[in-house]
Amino acid sequence: MGSGVSIIETTIGEAQQGLRLDKALAELLPDLSRERLKALIVEGQVTSGGRALNPSIKVAAGQVFAITLPATAESEVVAQDIPLVIVYEDADLIVIDKPAGMVVHPAVGNLDGTLVNALLHHCRDSLSGIGGVARPGIVHRIDKDTSGLLVVAKSDKAHEGLAHQFSTHNIDRLYSAIVYGIPNPAAGIVDTWIGRSNSDRKKMAVHPDGRGKRAVTHYRVIDRMRGAALIECRLQTGRTHQVRVHLTHLGHPLIGDPVYGRERKGFKSILETLGFKRQALHAKRLGFIHPVSGEKLSFDSALPTDMQELLSELYV
């Protein structure tokens, strides 16, 4: 066995009879979160009689399982003293108002200057480890060039509770968007299937044949301007690029979106004068049940300066 690797053996008791494997092990091994155990099972690190298993199998009393815990990988992500706008913080979670231009977690081409780099400096060792060394505490994300609110887990219990609320669509998420044209009707629901684009794997697309995942966005026009509109989008689901894809599907892409929107006549000079080089999208409201205290929390973020300036120009 490699250095730093450890093996834990545990036996299913009567109280765990008939439970899913991941849930049963979580009860028996409280130092390991259910999400961590599920990941270990999927990676083949949990065995019985030498066989790898599925997290959803039902267990029987007396079954013996071996859990291999790989050596802890040293994080290559460095802590950086990057200013953060902190809206709320306690021992279990932190809510950040992210500026446009900041990547949430490190990836190829963006190994530093990310929100995770900043969080590692601010929170020190108090981030949930469920996301792994590159994504500690990250429960959800917003695009680099989208501004606004997101929540990060500091404890594994908070991470699991928040992840459950996201997966069951019980998070209140409201976005402000400035789009080309004026949607008609002025309010409605976009209900489609979203998956990877057939022509560009870096993009998402609506698939009428039901491929991908169901995505639902509720929208309403807040204000009308010259050839544009300020709208609000409430997310019922939270798919990758959902708002951007749905608004393009409506025929009203986000102003400034370099991927899903094509620049329309009469807007180029405005965007160049303002130096506006991102999609006009802001995560303005985030609400959820605190996964530890049970308190209902809701936070709002004012429209950032660059989007306010864009609106002022469009009103002229």
Side-chain angles (χ1 to χ4, degrees), residues 30-292:
D31 289 339
L32 295 174
S33 71
R34 187 172 175 181
E35 288 299 316
R36 174 65 172 143
L37 285 162
K38 189 183 296 183
L40 288 170
I41 297 167
V42 170
E43 292 165 6
Q45 304 290 355
V46 177
T47 60
S48 181
R51 293 186 303 108
L53 305 159
N54 185 295
S56 63
I57 67 165
K58 300 298 192 292
V59 299
Q63 279 185 284
V64 179
F65 294 92
I67 301 97
T68 301
L69 297 175
T72 302
E74 289 298 322
S75 173
E76 295 181 359
V77 183
V78 297
Q80 293 179 304
D81 187 5
I82 301 170
L84 290 172
V85 178
I86 298 170
V87 178
Y88 174 87
E89 183 177 13
D90 62 22
D92 295 291
L93 56 86
I94 182 170
V95 178
I96 302 293
D97 196 341
K98 185 188 84 68
M102 175 181 273
V103 175
V104 171
H105 55 73
V108 177
N110 289 290
L111 295 178
D112 61 9
T114 72
L115 177 63
V116 165
N117 295 110
L119 287 168
L120 287 173
H121 179 272
H122 175 78
C123 299
R124 306 298 179 182
D125 297 324
S126 60
L127 285 175
S128 165
I130 290 176
V133 294
R135 306 184 185 190
I138 300 302
V139 185
H140 68 124
R141 69 181 184 87
I142 55 180
D143 295 332
K144 172 186 175 182
D145 289 325
T146 297
S147 54
L149 299 167
L150 76 163
V151 59
V152 176
K154 294 173 66 176
S155 68
D156 284 1
K157 185 174 182 180
H159 198 129
E160 290 183 328
L162 288 167
H164 177 72
Q165 290 181 61
F166 275 100
S167 68
T168 54
H169 313 307
N170 287 321
I171 302 288
D172 180 21
R173 281 172 290 177
L174 190 64
Y175 284 72
S176 291
I178 307 174
V179 301
Y180 291 114
I182 301 172
N184 184 23
I189 301 173
V190 188
D191 187 344
T192 72
W193 292 80
I194 288 180
R196 291 288 170 188
S197 167
N198 293 328
S199 59
D200 185 345
R201 299 299 293 172
K202 293 181 180 179
K203 295 174 64 174
M204 307 302 286
V206 168
H207 291 293
D209 57 5
R211 285 184 294 124
K213 295 181 179 179
R214 186 178 178 224
V216 183
T217 303
H218 302 252
Y219 75 90
R220 69 185 181 103
V221 174
I222 301 299
D223 207 353
R224 295 165 174 80
M225 292 149 281
R226 175 167 47 102
L230 172 65
I231 69 172
E232 282 186 351
C233 295
R234 186 177 299 279
L235 273 61
Q236 183 173 320
T237 59
R239 310 305 179 198
T240 301
H241 296 178
Q242 178 174 316
V243 174
R244 299 166 70 186
V245 172
H246 270 173
L247 293 178
T248 299
H249 180 68
L250 272 182
H252 299 281
L254 290 162
I255 291 179
D257 193 331
V259 177
Y260 297 101
R262 287 187 296 180
E263 196 173 88
R264 297 195 178 180
K265 186 177 180 181
F267 286 84
K268 183 177 181 180
S269 61
I270 294 174
L271 298 180
E272 287 182 348
T273 298
L274 293 174
F276 195 91
K277 299 179 180 179
R278 64 145 173 144
Q279 63 262 13
L281 186 63
H282 178 67
K284 68 169 291 185
R285 180 172 301 154
L286 181 65
F288 54 88
I289 302 299
H290 193 292
V292 177

Side-chain angles (χ1 to χ4, degrees), residues 18-35:
L19 295 178
R20 281 174 52 114
L21 174 59
D22 54 347
K23 188 173 191 303
L25 292 180
E27 290 188 1
L28 292 167
L29 304 167
D31 289 339
L32 295 174
S33 71
R34 187 172 175 181
E35 288 299 316

